[in-house]
Amino acid sequence: MKKIDSLYNKLLLNADSPDKKVKINEQVRSTLIKKILDDLKKLRIKQDKNDYISDEYRKLDYEMRTLLLKEIQVILDEYVLAKENGDLKSWKETYGDIGHYIKNFYYYRMDGKYESQKKTLKDYKFLVED
């Protein structure tokens, strides 16, 4: 997670550009998202080797949710910047409906009610790659 946090901190380009707009560093974004997805895939493989009710399974579930929330955070950052820069059309063409990401944010997050709700990512699956 340290690497992901480090990349996230480099995600925004300062407003030193001639148009004075804050922008996403596309190269950092690409590296960050790839790292998140690679880590998710590894965690899912580990999780599959554990019993659904085990502490290890829950620990891995927590790590996966944290990664997914970071991915959503990047997407929401892009949304805010697109809105500020008058480029929501391009954002929507890439990502679709913002409501989807808001819904997933609440689905993946953990709060004081996490344990009582037993929210686990049992329905989150990676596609089998050829």
Side-chain angles (χ1 to χ4, degrees):
M1 195 61 173
K2 279 184 176 183
K3 175 73 174 171
I4 288 170
D5 287 337
S6 173
L7 286 168
Y8 182 77
N9 289 333
K10 299 174 186 173
L11 184 64
L12 300 180
L13 292 172
N14 293 334
D16 294 337
S17 61
D19 57 7
K20 303 292 183 200
K21 293 181 180 179
V22 176
K23 296 180 182 178
I24 296 287
N25 182 325
E26 295 294 330
Q27 186 172 358
V28 170
R29 182 201 172 283
S30 177
T31 303
L32 175 58
I33 296 299
K34 181 176 180 350
K35 175 74 173 138
I36 289 170
L37 293 176
D38 289 347
D39 286 1
L40 277 169
K41 191 172 187 176
K42 289 174 190 173
L43 289 170
R44 185 66 183 154
I45 290 168
K46 281 184 182 179
Q47 193 181 43
D48 281 342
K49 296 176 183 177
N50 288 279
D51 188 11
Y52 179 76
I53 60 171
S54 72
D55 287 338
E56 183 64 17
Y57 188 97
R58 287 185 183 273
K59 178 182 164 246
L60 293 167
D61 177 75
Y62 176 84
E63 290 179 51
M64 291 170 68
R65 286 175 182 276
T66 302
L67 288 170
L68 290 166
L69 286 168
K70 185 59 81 172
E71 180 183 27
I72 291 170
Q73 185 176 2
V74 170
I75 293 168
L76 293 177
D77 287 345
E78 287 188 83
Y79 176 85
V80 169
L81 290 176
K83 188 173 182 178
E84 286 178 3
N85 295 331
D87 194 22
L88 273 181
K89 182 180 179 190
S90 176
W91 186 93
K92 287 179 182 179
E93 288 172 358
T94 303
Y95 295 106
D97 180 15
I98 187 71
H100 169 75
Y101 300 99
I102 294 168
K103 177 183 169 200
N104 281 341
F105 171 79
Y106 287 105
Y107 177 71
Y108 294 131
R109 70 177 274 199
M110 292 148 288
D111 52 29
K113 297 178 184 177
Y114 175 75
E115 288 301 320
S116 65
Q117 293 177 359
K118 306 247 185 262
K119 293 168 107 181
T120 56
L121 289 175
K122 63 183 180 201
D123 57 349
Y124 185 86
K125 303 283 187 220
F126 285 99
L127 297 176
V128 177
E129 296 179 17
D130 292 330

